[in-house]
Amino acid sequence: MTASTANHPTPQPRPAAPPPLPDPCPRPAEPLGAAGLARDITAELSSRLRTVRLHGFRRPTARPPALVAVAHGSRHPGAAPAVRALLARVRALRPDLPVHLGHLELDAPLLADTLAALPAAPGSAVLVPLLFGHGHHVTRDLPAALAAAGHLSGRIATPLGPDALLVEALHDRLLEAGFPTSPHHGHRPAVVLAAAGSRAARSARDTARTARLLSARLGGVPVLPGYAHPPPATAPDGDASRRPSSIAASLTVPEAVRALTDRGHRPRDIAVAACFAAPGRFADQCAALAPGPAAAPLGDHPALARLVLHRYDQALCARTGSGTQDIGAATVAV
């Protein structure tokens, strides 16, 4: 046993390897690049902002108030598809926002049914009228509909006109119809802004202001409002919506065309701009009366979709007593 130990000595542990010497010429770090730098900055800011709570601000609710787009309604086969295409654009612009449709008449779903189906919650809906002036639908019918939905509280946005986004859509539809952007052989173009009209004086003022904005957008081209009301002989006594407007000095579309002709514009140089969200009886009637280019209804124009969301945001930001009016459970933007 001793011999075995002598022939095979006990192995000794090896000394630990020295640590590696630092590289005298270290490689430079890989460049981060603009995209990577922006990504890192965004991540760092997001991490820090999660710990910040500003005084007077609340965290956003899990689900924003529903946007209820209110269309007039029409038996025209192209009306409902045009409105639904517009709302599809609205949903694409803001996917997290619940968007619903309600009609005042003639089409399903009716506004009352849409509101009845919404869940009860404070500030649960914002009604955005797909209308272009402060007529009785906006100032009376919508507040009444929201008040009748007793389980809801919400706001009513202002109509879509007047606004620069509306003018952008009107301008583009005119150009699509072939409206000349400059005088041609000495002849001067002009426009009739065709609208449904209203017996409410404020609605006429809204349309007149839209006409002035469109004129400015067209570089000073004359733009006259013209309304789609039928003459008294054809207006049924029982249908107040089809009676002639009682607004002083309002013009029908043919009267506006004649007024521009009297100013020296050739009929073929007078276009009709359609201040309608969708095809319908009034829109078709006005297009048929156009002596020159006839623009299509606004439909799903991208600017109109942005305007719907703009009106929704304005209604949410408005405070009672400053741009809004309380009517029962509804807050109406004015």
Side-chain angles (χ1 to χ4, degrees):
M1 186 172 183
T2 305
S4 175
T5 301
N7 293 335
H8 300 281
T10 302
Q12 299 296 321
R14 294 183 180 180
L21 296 174
D23 188 348
C25 300
R27 295 180 181 179
E30 291 293 330
L32 186 58
L37 180 60
R39 183 180 60 248
D40 285 1
I41 291 174
T42 301
E44 180 66 18
L45 284 175
S46 299
S47 175
R48 291 174 181 264
L49 287 174
R50 277 194 293 268
T51 66
V52 176
R53 180 175 297 179
L54 297 178
H55 177 69
F57 284 78
R58 294 176 297 177
R59 292 181 181 274
T61 57
R63 193 169 180 82
L67 187 160
V68 180
V70 184
H72 184 277
S74 171
R75 294 189 179 93
H76 193 289
V83 173
R84 295 183 190 280
L86 171 62
L87 297 190
R89 279 197 183 272
V90 171
R91 293 186 182 99
L93 289 171
R94 200 170 297 182
D96 296 333
L97 178 64
V99 177
H100 305 273
L101 172 62
H103 295 90
L104 291 168
E105 57 183 341
L106 301 176
D107 257 328
L110 291 174
L111 177 59
D113 297 331
T114 298
L115 295 178
L118 292 178
S124 51
V126 175
L127 275 58
V128 180
L130 303 183
L131 306 168
F132 301 97
H134 286 84
H136 293 307
H137 286 317
V138 173
T139 60
R140 296 185 182 179
D141 295 344
L142 267 60
L146 191 52
H151 67 296
L152 292 178
S153 66
R155 292 174 177 265
I156 298 173
T158 56
L160 300 182
D163 193 271
L165 287 169
L166 171 59
V167 170
E168 179 182 339
L170 289 167
H171 176 263
D172 287 354
R173 289 289 188 251
L174 277 171
L175 297 188
E176 291 169 5
F179 182 74
T181 56
S182 59
H184 181 66
H185 297 303
H187 299 294
R188 299 174 298 126
V191 175
V192 173
L193 179 62
S198 170
R199 294 183 304 279
R202 185 175 179 187
S203 179
R205 292 196 297 269
D206 291 338
T207 304
R209 185 179 174 199
T210 298
R212 291 193 297 272
L213 292 172
L214 180 59
S215 175
R217 181 70 174 81
L218 291 168
V221 168
V223 178
L224 284 184
Y227 297 104
H229 292 290
T234 63
D237 292 339
D239 187 353
S241 67
R242 296 178 60 192
R243 293 175 189 164
S245 172
S246 61
I247 302 169
S250 62
L251 301 176
T252 64
V253 171
E255 289 170 343
V257 169
R258 285 196 296 272
L260 290 169
T261 303
D262 292 343
R263 296 181 189 181
H265 298 277
R266 296 189 313 172
R268 72 181 67 178
D269 297 323
I270 301 172
V272 170
C275 200
F276 301 102
R281 178 170 61 90
F282 280 171
D284 287 353
Q285 172 186 313
C286 293
L289 294 170
L298 303 176
D300 65 340
H301 192 284
L304 200 65
R306 299 200 307 274
L307 179 54
V308 170
L309 287 171
H310 181 51
R311 290 293 189 252
Y312 170 87
D313 293 336
Q314 283 180 320
L316 286 182
C317 293
R319 295 182 177 181
T320 302
S322 176
T324 62
Q325 178 183 356
D326 280 338
I327 301 180
T331 301
V332 184
V334 293

